[in-house]
Amino acid sequence: MILVLAGGVGAAKFLEGLVQVVPPDQIVAVVNTGDDFVLHGLMITPDLDIVTCTLADLIDREQGWGLAGDTTACLEWLGKLGGPTWFTLGDRDLALHIRRSALLREGWTLSQVADSFRQALGVAVRIVPMSDDPAPTHIVTDAGEIHFEHYFVQRRAQDRVHGVRLHAAGPAQPAPGLLDLIAQAERILIAPSNPVVSIGPILALPGVEAALHASAAPIVAVSPIVGGAAIKGPAAPLMRAMGYEVSALGIATIYAELADTLVIDQQDHDLAAPIRALGLQVVVTDTIMRGPVEKARLAACTLKDTGNRN
Ligand code: FO1
């Protein structure tokens, strides 16, 4: 089984490549829930939905989130009635949040909801939230400490970032069975997601880093930073706020103690030597996931044997 630590859009695209080169039922995606928040009285889980709906080929490919061809009649009426409209929730998208919220109120766990939804949508990849407990990511800004989605979407990532608080609602436990999945994995992949607010929340769960270190599986990460910039999302300001250089080398310093191999883009080939100096093996390739062929090629790169464990 191949375990993939995943955030949102970049991870979803990477998984679309992986399912082309590995039987989907051999893949388990452990998904960040730090973006999750309540809006309109509904439990919204952006990264779980992005991964599930992308693998179900239902995603809006322009945006990387939301459902293709979705309408926003309900959102318009929510606005008329004084509800918040800063977070675009389409009519079909709302069905996910309404149904999820109802099941959670009936006592289902987020793991059970996520598994029920991916099966209902015909996704063969197992999708596991990182935790069934609330584990919101807060961003510390000039305007105070705010939830990631308020920082990133409502306030358009305009605030100066002073820090990040993971699991801001208190201790969160790894989802049931997650530590066993890490122990059983034959290979562990860290998708090209935001290392601070997408992968960070997963690694910060008690026992996860220890389980990863104890695993005999090769751990391969894909840099989400290409040519000194993120392909999408707020990785740059967040990495800067945490004191990391915004480059593939900065990514290497984050994962140096954990991963065996880092896959970087050919634009960053000159960073291969300093990254190797950190003790990581390096694979230099085209990491821009333009289409299905590039996604499959990138995924195949993370499956090649690049030598022994760290
Ligand atoms: N991102 C935005 O920038 N604007 C939105 O209005 C928005 C709505 C949205 C609705 C459902 C969903 O699953 C994701 C959504 N996202 C939106 C993406 C969200 O901000 C993600 O958490 C980030 O892209 C980071 O993964």
Side-chain angles (χ1 to χ4, degrees), residues 126-143:
R126 270 177 293 162
I127 295 172
V128 176
M130 70 180 200
S131 174
D132 283 343
D133 304 321
T137 298
H138 287 182
I139 309 297
V140 182
T141 74
D142 286 338

Side-chain angles (χ1 to χ4, degrees), residues 7-10 32 35-37 44-50 59 63-67 85-90 93 96-97 148-149 152-154 156 194 197-198 232-234:
V9 180
N32 168 49
D35 295 5
D36 298 4
F37 69 124
I44 316 283
T45 61
D47 285 352
L48 279 168
D49 290 354
I50 289 169
I59 204 76
Q63 295 175 144
W65 48 264
L67 298 181
T85 57
W86 57 271
F87 199 74
T88 305
L89 290 167
D93 198 349
L96 289 163
H97 314 307
F148 170 75
E149 295 291 3
F152 178 55
V153 181
Q154 187 177 31
R156 303 189 186 293
N194 187 317
V197 294
S198 295
K232 185 179 180 68

Side-chain angles (χ1 to χ4, degrees), residues 5-12 190-196 198-199 222-224 251 255:
L5 305 188
V9 180
I190 301 178
S193 297
N194 187 317
V196 178
S198 295
I199 303 300
V222 179
S223 175
I251 294 294
Y255 293 139

Side-chain angles (χ1 to χ4, degrees), residues 89-103:
L89 290 167
D91 296 322
R92 290 202 289 281
D93 198 349
L94 277 163
L96 289 163
H97 314 307
I98 292 166
R99 181 73 183 138
R100 173 181 314 109
S101 303
L103 291 172

